[in-house]
Amino acid sequence: MRSRSGPSRGFKDMKVIHTQRVADEVTAVWLQALDGGNLPDYFPGQHITVQTNDPVSGEQLIRCYSLVGSAVEEGRKTYQIAVRFVPRPHDRPDLPDGRMSTVMNRHLAVDHKIQVQAPSGHFVIPAESTRPIVLVAGGIGITPMISHLETIATLQEQPRVHLVYANRSRETEAFADRLNQLQARMPSLTITRLWGAGEGELPYGVRVG
Ligand SMILES: Cc1cc2nc3c(=O)[nH]c(=O)nc-3n(C[C@H](O)[C@H](O)[C@H](O)COP(=O)(O)OP(=O)(O)OC[C@H]3O[C@@H](n4cnc5c(N)ncnc54)[C@H](O)[C@@H]3O)c2cc1C
């Protein structure tokens, strides 16, 4: 188990400036540099690595979270992530719930200090494409897709995009409002939403169960 310690090499001091519940057990978190400086842009699909201490055990936690929001922003001051609470397995009451996702969903408040590494990752979704794009997301896997769509929404020429988005229920579907807003801004975007137990739109003979 790692011990409590200061920021590791390559991490920048940041603070939480806003949090928002975006679905059942999913919290979106906005981060800003402690010195208020500009932040580098990223490619849609990339993630940041965040580090903080568990407020209960003091253990140092380091986890990756995909960036949400447009990848390109003039004079960027914030990064945004969204974290789903990960419970312990049903058959293992002896285990703790997911540690970082507990911090993010239960303990985080404005001004909470957190260390963040620069955006990175090879999972990059090209924003410009001459061919139609199909995105498939399950649950919290929607985060890099939101970044991709909000980046495309800023382009003059928007490719056709179809998003297939599956969730257990409407309550657990993160970013429903933002997807509706994106559809209003992007005539080229179509979405198939799937929910468990026959609740969703099921075109093309798709079955969920
Ligand atoms: C590139 C990348 C991007 C990501 N983007 C996102 C994102 O946008 N949003 C998001 O929510 N997540 C994302 N993740 C996942 C995220 O990094 C974390 O893995 C997730 O939040 C869980 O971390 P945790 O500390 O809460 O759980 P952990 O503490 O790591 O626990 C995970 C699970 O393991 C169980 N467990 C604990 N100890 C044991 C044990 N001894 N034996 C067996 N099981 C045990 C826990 O009960 C829990 O169910 C991403 C991951 C990667 C790699």
Side-chain angles (χ1 to χ4, degrees):
M1 187 179 280
R2 295 188 193 97
S3 61
R4 184 191 291 272
S5 66
S8 307
R9 209 175 151 80
F11 281 83
K12 186 179 179 68
D13 287 320
M14 300 188 75
K15 65 177 179 182
V16 174
I17 58 161
H18 181 58
T19 63
Q20 185 189 355
R21 198 36 75 122
V22 290
D24 204 17
E25 301 288 27
V26 181
T27 302
V29 179
W30 282 257
L31 301 164
Q32 190 178 68
L34 215 51
D35 61 12
N38 286 356
L39 298 170
D41 277 334
Y42 49 91
F43 295 106
Q46 287 196 305
H47 65 271
I48 51 173
T49 302
V50 306
Q51 171 182 285
T52 193
N53 291 327
D54 187 315
V56 179
S57 67
E59 183 190 1
Q60 187 184 69
L61 304 171
I62 300 179
R63 300 286 187 275
C64 299
Y65 292 100
S66 299
L67 285 156
V68 182
S70 176
V72 181
E73 202 178 295
E74 182 85 22
R76 172 188 296 282
K77 294 284 185 200
T78 59
Y79 287 144
Q80 189 194 146
I81 56 175
V83 181
R84 163 151 282 146
F85 171 68
V86 179
R88 71 197 71 183
H90 295 301
D91 57 347
R92 292 294 305 272
D94 54 311
L95 292 176
D97 290 326
R99 284 153 292 182
M100 182 68 99
S101 61
T102 297
V103 174
M104 294 284 182
N105 280 277
R106 307 273 191 269
H107 301 295
L108 217 57
V110 168
D111 282 340
H112 184 111
K113 307 288 183 298
I114 202 160
Q115 287 76 46
V116 177
Q117 261 180 354
S120 63
H122 299 295
F123 178 66
V124 172
I125 317 169
E128 294 180 36
S129 172
T130 53
R131 301 172 68 183
I133 296 169
V134 177
L135 303 173
V136 180
I140 198 61
I142 191 66
T143 47
M145 312 305 177
I146 294 285
S147 172
H148 183 247
L149 292 171
E150 291 189 344
T151 306
I152 286 181
T154 65
L155 300 177
Q156 293 277 332
E157 302 252 325
Q158 298 170 353
R160 268 182 61 206
V161 186
H162 186 72
L163 169 67
V164 180
Y165 184 23
N167 280 280
R168 286 180 201 279
S169 66
R170 287 170 197 261
E171 291 70 34
T172 61
E173 184 186 292
F175 297 119
D177 292 348
R178 255 160 98 161
L179 285 170
N180 290 339
Q181 288 162 16
L182 274 163
Q183 272 200 298
R185 286 167 64 196
M186 287 178 63
S188 62
L189 171 64
T190 49
I191 302 176
T192 298
R193 292 176 145 104
L194 304 172
W195 299 291
E199 224 197 310
E201 305 155 13
L202 303 174
Y204 322 121
V206 175
R207 285 166 192 268
V208 188

